[in-house]
Each structure stands twice: as structure tokens, then as C-alpha cells.
Amino acid sequence: MDVRRPTGAPVELTLDEVARAVGGQVVGDGSAVVKGVAGIREAGPGELTFLANSKYRRELRETRATAVLLTQVDVPEDRGELSFVVVAEPSLAFSRMVERFTPPPPRPPVGIHALAVIGPEVELGAGVSVGPHTVVEPGARIGSRTVLYPGVYVGHGVRIGDDAVLHANVVVLHGSILGNRVIVHPGAVIGSDGFGYVLVGNQAVKVPQQGIVEIEDDVEIGANTTIDRARFDRTRIGRGSKIDNLCQIAHNVAIGRSSFLAAQVGIAGSSQIGSGVMLGGQVGVSGHLKVADLARVAAQAGVSRDVEPGESVAGHPAMPARQFWRMIAQAKKLGELFAQVEALATRVEDLERNAEDDPPAA
């Protein structure tokens, strides 16, 4: 990772200034100056980096950075010429420094591009940016300072709040509701039909999907993720939840507040995901289930039963995480166990053969 400042006026901060900005404490030379930020392997003299995971402490011996953001437990006894800023959350502190040293990405100019298509009875708030080849259908409402990048499609009657950002080629279909400060990354589709059919003989008859999608404030949706509209009522994503790339959220799913879904998660129809839930990459959740508040589901788990509040599960089918990892540890010993069983079986055969050959006692 390399996040050196590409453009703009140079920024220089002493480590004392860095510490004040992130609520940290300097170990080393507080007057040392840093002029940029970079990953621990890429950083050079004059740059600030971070260490958020103790298993990478060996990198401290090799980094060429001027200073490292880390926790107290990771400060080495022999620091050499390296200085440190000790903080409680190095990753968060580094994010703050990235914002200081790197400019924000270019924002489209305020206004409607000449190649955009805006339908009748559309309401646009103050300071809206609409890029080329974007289409906003009749009756849509776009909040103040919201940005629609090139190629965005906003369907009939869609409502989007203030300060939202829809990146290139996002599709928001009719009736969908997006709150304030929602971020949607390229290629995501919101409000596509749910996967609903009735089999009549050998023919699949489509079930109308008449509901909507409602996305609350401060939600972020990854690239090429799809969120289906409800069969009735709404598919809902709670405030502050974050959804990674390539996820599939089916019709009538409800996700609570501040939940996190990693890439390629798939949630089948009408399941309920609570608040503060974490679903690892490629997790699958069957339909009509409940994953309760603060639950943790390990990557590639297949959830086929309800998950209790605060429970951690793993495996396929998902089971208590400790049970699953114990099974994995035992499975690694199966080869040795099979060899022992074969050896015992051979020994038993030899004993039986010898018993048959020995004459009976007088």
C-alpha cells in the first residue's frame, strides 16, 4: 500500500503535531518531521506508517519510515533511530493522517452536465453534481450536495438524501430510498426484482415484486453489490452498516444498524440480520433465518439455523465456532488415526491366525 500525496501543496508535521492530532504520545524524537504516509514496507525517510497487528512486529526491524503509529504493547525495547506515536487504535489514527496528507478525490463540478438527462418533476437540492450520461427519471428527489457520477441511473420516484455519493454506473431503481451520506460504489444495483417464482407444472410463473429498498443514513455499499426490492413492504439496510463488494441481499431482508458484510456474502429472502453483526467473506445465509445482534459468522460459513445474540459460528453447516475449529484440529489427525487402525487390524488378524494354528491345550 502506498498513499503518498500525489498532488497539492506539501504537508509537513512534526511528530508532536501528529500526536496531538491523533491523541497519542511520542516515543522518540517529537521534533522529527514527516511529509507523507505509506505502508510499513513501502515507507521511506520522512514518512509515517502504522502497525495495527502484532504479528507483523518483525516489519519494525526493516521499515525505513521515520515514525510508526502503534499501540504501547508493540513498542520494541530497542527502537534504534525509529520513533513512535503510541495510540489506542493505530489503524484509525493512520486513517486520520491519510486525510491530512492526501487530497480528497476529484469531485465533479456542481451542476448538471450537458449530457445528463433530467426528467420532469425532479427535485434537486442545492449544490448537487450530476455527471455526463446520468439519467434521473421523473419524480426523483436528490438531496443537497449529493454527487451522481457519470452513468448513474436514478429511477422514477427515487429519494436520495443529502451528501450522498453514487459512483459511476450505479443503478437505483424505482421507489428506492437512500438516506443521508450514503455511498454507493461503481456497478451496484439497488432495487432489482427479488428472485420470486411459483412453479406451475414445469413452468416458473414470476411473482410480482411490489416493495422497495430503503437504505438508512451513513450506509456504504460496495461495487457490484445487488440489493433486491421486497416482494412487499421493504428490504432495509440499517444506519451505519457497511456492505463490501459483490454481495447479494435478497428480497425482504432486514439488516440492522452498524453491521458489516464482507465480500461475496449472500443473504436469502426474508432473513433478518441484527445490529452489530459481522459476516465474513462468502458467508451464505439461508432464507427466513435470524442472525441476532452482535453475532459473528466466520468466512465461508453456511448459516442454516438461527444464530443467537453474540454467538460466534463457523463451518458448513454453521456451528459454534469453538466446536468447528476443534473438529478441524481433529480432522488433521485422521491420517495418523487411519494408520493406527490399519496397524491394529493387521495385529488382530495375526493374533487370530496364530490362535487358529496353535493346538488346543490338553
Side-chain angles (χ1 to χ4, degrees):
M1 178 183 61
D2 192 340
V3 287
R4 294 176 175 83
R5 185 179 182 87
T7 59
V11 175
E12 295 184 4
L13 297 174
T14 67
L15 293 188
D16 285 336
E17 291 172 325
V18 170
R20 286 195 293 272
V22 298
Q25 181 179 359
V26 176
V27 176
D29 183 5
S31 65
V33 173
V34 289
K35 302 178 181 180
V37 288
I40 196 166
R41 295 178 181 175
E42 297 84 8
E47 292 184 312
L48 177 70
T49 188
F50 77 112
L51 178 73
N53 190 325
S54 294
K55 73 179 184 179
Y56 296 110
R57 290 184 65 185
R58 63 184 181 276
E59 303 286 354
L60 294 175
R61 298 192 297 269
E62 302 176 5
T63 186
R64 297 182 300 115
T66 292
V68 182
L69 294 158
L70 41 56
T71 62
Q72 182 65 55
V73 71
D74 286 325
V75 176
E77 294 182 5
D78 180 14
R79 65 178 183 84
E81 298 181 359
L82 196 58
S83 293
F84 304 105
V85 178
V86 177
V87 292
E89 296 287 346
S91 184
L92 178 61
F94 187 70
S95 297
R96 297 289 180 262
M97 288 298 99
V98 170
E99 293 173 352
R100 292 288 294 272
F101 283 102
T102 60
R107 174 189 170 109
V110 171
I112 302 171
H113 194 279
L115 296 178
V117 178
I118 308 298
E121 300 180 357
V122 168
E123 297 182 20
L124 298 178
V128 166
S129 301
V130 181
H133 306 296
T134 286
V135 175
V136 182
E137 297 282 14
R141 290 161 46 188
I142 313 297
S144 298
R145 299 171 302 281
T146 285
V147 177
L148 306 181
Y149 278 86
V152 168
Y153 176 82
V154 177
H156 293 75
V158 166
R159 290 157 45 194
I160 301 175
D162 298 338
D163 300 299
V165 177
L166 276 60
H167 287 278
N169 299 319
V170 165
V171 173
V172 183
L173 292 165
H174 59 280
S176 300
I177 301 172
L178 280 64
N180 300 321
R181 298 173 300 280
V182 168
I183 300 173
V184 188
H185 289 277
V189 177
I190 297 169
S192 50
D193 276 0
F195 191 68
Y197 299 90
V198 174
L199 284 176
V200 179
N202 293 325
Q203 183 177 4
V205 178
K206 185 175 178 64
V207 174
Q209 307 292 297
Q210 302 293 349
I212 64 169
V213 173
E214 181 177 6
I215 297 172
E216 296 182 356
D217 296 347
D218 301 303
V219 170
E220 186 162 359
I221 297 166
N224 293 322
T225 281
T226 56
I227 303 176
D228 291 346
R229 70 177 54 252
R231 179 180 178 182
F232 45 82
D233 197 15
R234 64 196 60 207
T235 301
R236 182 178 56 81
I237 313 297
R239 178 192 296 265
S241 288
K242 312 299 181 184
I243 301 174
D244 200 359
N245 303 330
L246 296 167
C247 292
Q248 160 63 20
I249 313 299
H251 56 189
N252 288 97
V253 166
I255 297 176
R257 295 186 172 191
S258 299
S259 288
F260 295 83
L261 282 62
Q264 297 184 348
V265 163
I267 304 175
S270 298
S271 282
Q272 299 179 46
I273 311 299
S275 296
V277 171
M278 292 188 178
L279 304 183
Q282 296 185 331
V283 162
V285 180
S286 296
H288 302 273
L289 296 181
K290 184 174 183 178
V291 179
D293 294 351
L294 302 177
R296 302 289 184 267
V297 183
Q300 296 189 323
V303 179
S304 56
R305 64 167 178 85
D306 290 348
V307 180
E308 299 301 317
E311 185 179 8
S312 294
V313 299
H316 194 288
M319 63 189 74
R322 289 185 179 181
Q323 177 185 349
F324 173 75
W325 295 119
R326 189 161 54 245
M327 289 173 56
I328 293 298
Q330 292 169 345
K332 292 180 179 179
K333 300 178 181 179
L334 285 178
E336 178 183 345
L337 178 62
F338 285 145
Q340 291 176 353
V341 170
E342 288 179 353
L344 288 172
T346 300
R347 185 176 179 184
V348 169
E349 289 177 359
D350 291 343
L351 290 173
E352 291 175 345
R353 188 180 302 110
N354 292 335
E356 292 174 356
D357 292 343
D358 289 340

